[in-house]
Amino acid sequence: MNIIFKNALLAALLVMLILLPVFGERFYIQFVSKILIMIIFVSSLNLLVGFTGLVSLGHAAFFGSSGYVLALFSPIGTSMNLFVALLASVLCVGALGAVFGALVLRTKGIFFIMATLALGEMLFYFLHDTAFAGGSDGIYIHDRPGFNLFDWWQLDLSNVSHFYYLALILVCLVLMLIKRIMNSPFGRVISGIRVNEHRTKALGYHTYKFKLVCFVIASMIAAISGFLAAVQFGVVNPEMVGWHASGHALMMVILGGKGSILGPVLGTTTLMLVEEIFQVATKHWQLLTGIVVVLVALFFPNGLAGLNFPKKRSET
Amino acid sequence: MDAATVLIQAMNGIQYGLLLFLVASGLTLIFGIMGVINIAHGSFYMIGAYLAWSLMGWVGSFWIGLIVGVTVALLLGLVLEWLFIRFLYDRDHLQQVLVTYGLILIFSELRSMIWGDDVHSVPIPELLSGSIQLTENLAYPIYRLWLSGVCIVIAILMFLGIQHTRLGMMIRAGESDREMTKSLGINIGLVYRFIFALGVSLAAFSGMISAPISSVFPGMGSQVLIVSFVVVVIGGLGSIKGAMIAALLVGLIDTFGKVIHLDIFGVNIFPEMSGMSIFALMALILMLRPQGLFGREH
């Protein structure tokens, strides 16, 4: 596809997204916000799965725990400064990511999949069984964080349009950040690890350190999405860290096409739209989702992005 | 805790460990021999338990139900291998995870359509319903003893089968060199299909025999899958011996974690944290020996 055409398409999409709250109904604004949050989460997982070649089944641990950090630290009765709260969540989750990463990165391949799944579930049981974080019910966030610009303009996150724009800005920033990372020397090493870790090691790179840094970055980006999700729903619960949330995100990575910046955008949007249609059609929509996942994984392993740009297939 | 309680808990722990071994060995066989990571393994355990529950209702006999259930699971395994799994041998782990994850969604929804989302219980078969008196007021149920015995017999059969039979030889040959085995005239595709079906029926059988001592509920598949993963990570992949020792270790730690009340500075840190004790053990193993207790270097 022509690069100018592609950029024009993206620009048109962006304009449509910016104009949505002006014309769209409340339901659609909220639904697109949900997709935007998911895009951030799926992009962070794609950084591990698609770019580094690390298949994690416990990535939701960082998504959910970010929401828990917000819920546990937000004071009752007053609204926290948005940027302080976001920074606190991202840093706490980054520290958690460093601990988890240091453990699971000692394993490879199938072991890595099992270890990430088990550590993620450990967090699930911890939050589910202990009382301090609300147990299986989770915690409500009564006062959403906000932002006050010189008493002149107030960012109110219970307002759907305000929230929508915040999510849109963060999605754009995250996608640009990932593009930047992958084009940097660091990103080249990461790609080298995916293609051939032994050779990258032989070139003198300490691959464990690079993988760990990448793991921490991915967990911090996941924290941004978890923070937004917690703010949007006003509640956090153990299901947010559970492994079904991780598996769900993994489906979107593959559906979109792993290892491309826009793959997660495509995959997330498609799957969430399809699931919305299934949910309206039948109570047993998970059955249809399961069939779609099996068919996609068997017949289109390169995802939708691989379908549209067949040239890319030979590259990878 | 007195000696009798310790004994009973130890027996419970060993029994739980042996059951875990049955599930985990299917997982490690399928991976070790076929190179496929099957995260739908827990679903077969759940299907087994639900089959036991509904077959009890239809046939009225636990034993006939057991035979019918294992046959159904064996057929299910053969069909699934033919439909999906055989396309996964040359694919990477990511696609294997996704296909089997899709199967989890399908099975859990089918379960909800066929059997509903309620929690059920299966009565202990009459033949094994009694209990053995240990002390004056402590007794141990015969069913649990029988269960442990069955698990041990299956473990021995599995070991003998792999080490000393012709089929076991084919399996081991296929594990070390698929192409070479093929060229020797062995239908390796058929061997794989059989292994997968065997793994499925092992999981379903575990689900069936555990149904009378634990309730039958929708989330039981994920629960056992995750604990089995912990067992495999601790024991080392592809190692049956490792799976056995790790399963017993996990069974004992999990059982004792639930009864020991540990006070640190006056704060009771156990009961609530007991669900995490096995994960802590796994983290420790990952730190000290990332390839697992009996795993080969990778």
Side-chain angles (χ1 to χ4, degrees):
Chain A
M1 204 191 288
N2 194 321
I3 192 89
I4 301 171
F5 179 65
K6 191 179 155 191
N7 284 343
L9 204 69
L10 279 178
L13 182 70
L14 198 62
V15 170
M16 269 162 62
L17 282 172
I18 290 171
L19 291 178
L20 177 80
V22 183
F23 302 107
E25 281 175 47
R26 190 185 163 89
F27 170 78
Y28 291 106
I29 303 171
Q30 278 178 325
F31 182 60
V32 178
S33 302
K34 250 165 47 182
I35 294 180
L36 291 172
I37 294 169
M38 218 45 209
I39 287 175
I40 300 180
F41 180 45
V42 174
S43 296
S44 73
L45 183 60
N46 188 35
L47 197 58
L48 291 179
V49 176
F51 290 120
T52 325
L54 295 168
V55 181
S56 168
L57 253 183
H59 203 54
F62 309 118
F63 175 80
S65 55
S66 169
Y68 268 95
V69 173
L70 172 69
L72 287 171
F73 286 119
S74 45
I76 292 168
T78 54
S79 156
M80 234 173 146
N81 181 313
L82 169 70
F83 296 102
V84 175
L86 183 58
L87 194 69
S89 281
V90 168
L91 289 179
C92 287
V93 173
L96 183 72
V99 175
F100 274 24
L103 281 174
V104 293
L105 287 170
R106 294 171 64 82
T107 62
K108 284 194 182 71
I110 189 171
F111 255 84
F112 183 81
I113 300 174
M114 294 186 181
T116 48
L117 176 75
L119 275 186
E121 282 305 287
M122 177 176 95
L123 196 65
F124 172 83
Y125 284 116
F126 177 66
L127 295 170
H128 190 272
D129 294 346
T130 53
F132 89 98
S136 57
D137 296 333
I139 316 173
Y140 286 93
I141 299 163
H142 296 287
D143 302 286
R144 291 179 168 83
F147 182 64
N148 206 340
L149 195 69
F150 308 121
D151 291 329
W152 164 70
W153 183 74
Q154 177 88 31
L155 179 74
D156 175 18
L157 291 182
S158 45
N159 178 320
V160 280
S161 301
H162 283 198
F163 182 82
Y164 173 83
Y165 282 120
L166 176 71
L168 186 60
I169 290 168
L170 285 174
V171 166
C172 294
L173 287 177
V174 162
L175 291 181
M176 285 193 295
L177 175 74
I178 292 177
K179 198 177 165 97
R180 191 69 201 265
I181 290 173
M182 288 323 292
N183 286 331
S184 70
F186 175 81
R188 299 291 174 205
V189 179
I190 289 297
S191 301
I193 291 173
R194 183 192 72 234
V195 177
N196 191 331
E197 185 169 353
H198 286 292
R199 211 173 279 179
T200 315
K201 227 180 223 169
L203 286 171
Y205 293 104
H206 197 313
T207 52
Y208 179 81
K209 279 184 194 158
F210 278 88
K211 286 195 285 187
L212 185 57
V213 170
C214 190
F215 197 87
V216 172
I217 293 174
S219 67
M220 287 164 97
I221 296 175
I224 298 175
S225 58
F227 178 89
L228 286 175
V231 171
Q232 187 181 24
F233 302 122
V235 63
V236 287
N237 57 43
E239 268 70 43
M240 283 174 78
V241 307
W243 73 291
H244 278 288
S246 304
H248 197 227
L250 202 58
M251 295 194 302
M252 295 177 184
V253 171
I254 300 305
L255 186 62
K258 61 182 163 128
S260 81
I261 307 278
L262 292 177
V265 179
L266 209 57
T268 309
T269 313
T270 312
L271 191 66
M272 288 187 73
L273 281 174
V274 166
E275 282 185 342
E276 193 69 21
I277 295 167
F278 286 169
Q279 272 171 13
V280 174
T282 162
K283 202 180 94 185
H284 300 290
W285 58 279
Q286 291 257 26
L287 182 70
L288 299 174
T289 311
I291 293 171
V292 169
V293 174
V294 169
L295 292 180
V296 167
L298 280 179
F299 298 112
F300 309 107
N302 293 314
L304 294 171
L307 214 62
N308 282 338
F309 315 107
K311 270 181 198 164
K312 277 205 168 161
R313 213 179 269 184
S314 55
E315 269 175 41
T316 46
Chain B
M1 275 201 299
D2 52 28
T5 321
V6 172
L7 181 70
I8 284 185
Q9 292 305 335
M11 280 160 84
N12 279 342
I14 288 170
Q15 175 260 308
Y16 179 48
L18 287 167
L19 196 70
L20 277 179
F21 167 76
L22 278 199
V23 183
S25 62
L27 203 65
T28 194
L29 263 182
I30 290 173
F31 180 76
I33 295 164
M34 297 156 52
V36 171
I37 172 167
N38 171 26
I39 63 171
H41 204 64
S43 301
F44 304 131
Y45 177 84
M46 173 202 72
I47 289 172
Y50 273 92
L51 271 178
W53 175 71
S54 58
L55 285 171
M56 271 295 272
W58 293 339
V59 195
S61 156
F62 181 79
W63 308 106
I64 298 174
L66 211 58
I67 295 166
V68 175
V70 170
T71 316
V72 169
L74 207 63
L75 290 176
L76 178 72
L78 292 174
V79 170
L80 284 177
E81 201 275 349
W82 178 70
L83 270 177
F84 306 110
I85 308 296
R86 67 186 166 124
F87 300 108
L88 295 176
Y89 299 138
D90 304 323
R91 304 283 190 90
D92 59 27
H93 295 326
L94 181 57
Q95 285 156 28
Q96 299 172 349
V97 165
L98 271 162
V99 170
T100 46
Y101 184 76
L103 290 180
I104 292 181
L105 293 181
I106 293 173
F107 284 132
S108 108
E109 208 57 55
L110 284 177
R111 189 260 312 137
S112 159
M113 288 159 83
I114 298 170
W115 287 301
D117 297 323
D118 298 330
V119 177
H120 302 287
S121 65
V122 173
I124 290 176
E126 230 170 275
L127 192 64
L128 303 169
S129 59
S131 52
I132 294 171
Q133 211 68 28
L134 291 177
T135 60
E136 263 175 49
N137 41 20
L138 278 172
Y140 198 77
I142 294 176
Y143 186 78
R144 281 179 186 264
L145 281 180
W146 173 82
L147 205 156
S148 302
V150 167
C151 291
I152 292 170
V153 168
I154 290 179
I156 292 172
L157 282 180
M158 206 151 65
F159 179 78
L160 291 178
I162 289 176
Q163 294 300 326
H164 297 289
T165 64
R166 193 168 174 80
L167 181 69
M169 232 148 88
M170 288 180 197
I171 290 171
R172 278 180 292 139
E175 185 184 5
S176 51
D177 195 329
R178 188 181 151 93
E179 291 305 311
M180 195 55 143
T181 316
K182 241 187 200 166
S183 65
L184 287 172
I186 290 164
N187 188 345
I188 196 76
L190 209 63
V191 175
Y192 278 16
R193 189 163 302 162
F194 172 75
I195 298 278
F196 187 78
L198 191 73
V200 171
S201 32
L202 266 179
F205 180 74
S206 322
M208 275 182 252
I209 57 174
S210 72
I213 50 171
S214 69
S215 49
V216 179
F217 59 100
M220 64 191 301
S222 320
Q223 201 179 41
V224 83
L225 174 81
I226 286 148
V227 184
S228 305
F229 274 10
V230 172
V231 166
V232 173
V233 170
I234 290 175
L237 255 181
S239 161
I240 296 280
K241 189 172 81 179
M244 180 53 118
I245 291 172
L248 288 175
L249 209 58
V250 166
L252 284 170
I253 287 184
D254 191 62
T255 308
F256 277 101
K258 279 176 185 144
V259 285
I260 295 175
H261 294 258
L262 198 63
D263 283 301
I264 295 182
F265 303 120
V267 182
N268 192 339
I269 65 160
F270 268 100
E272 280 196 334
M273 308 281 263
S274 65
M276 290 179 60
S277 54
I278 55 168
F279 297 106
L281 177 70
M282 187 193 75
L284 190 74
I285 298 285
L286 283 180
M287 269 190 285
L288 301 176
R289 209 179 144 78
Q291 73 271 33
L293 290 177
F294 292 90
R296 284 155 280 184
E297 288 283 343
H298 56 246

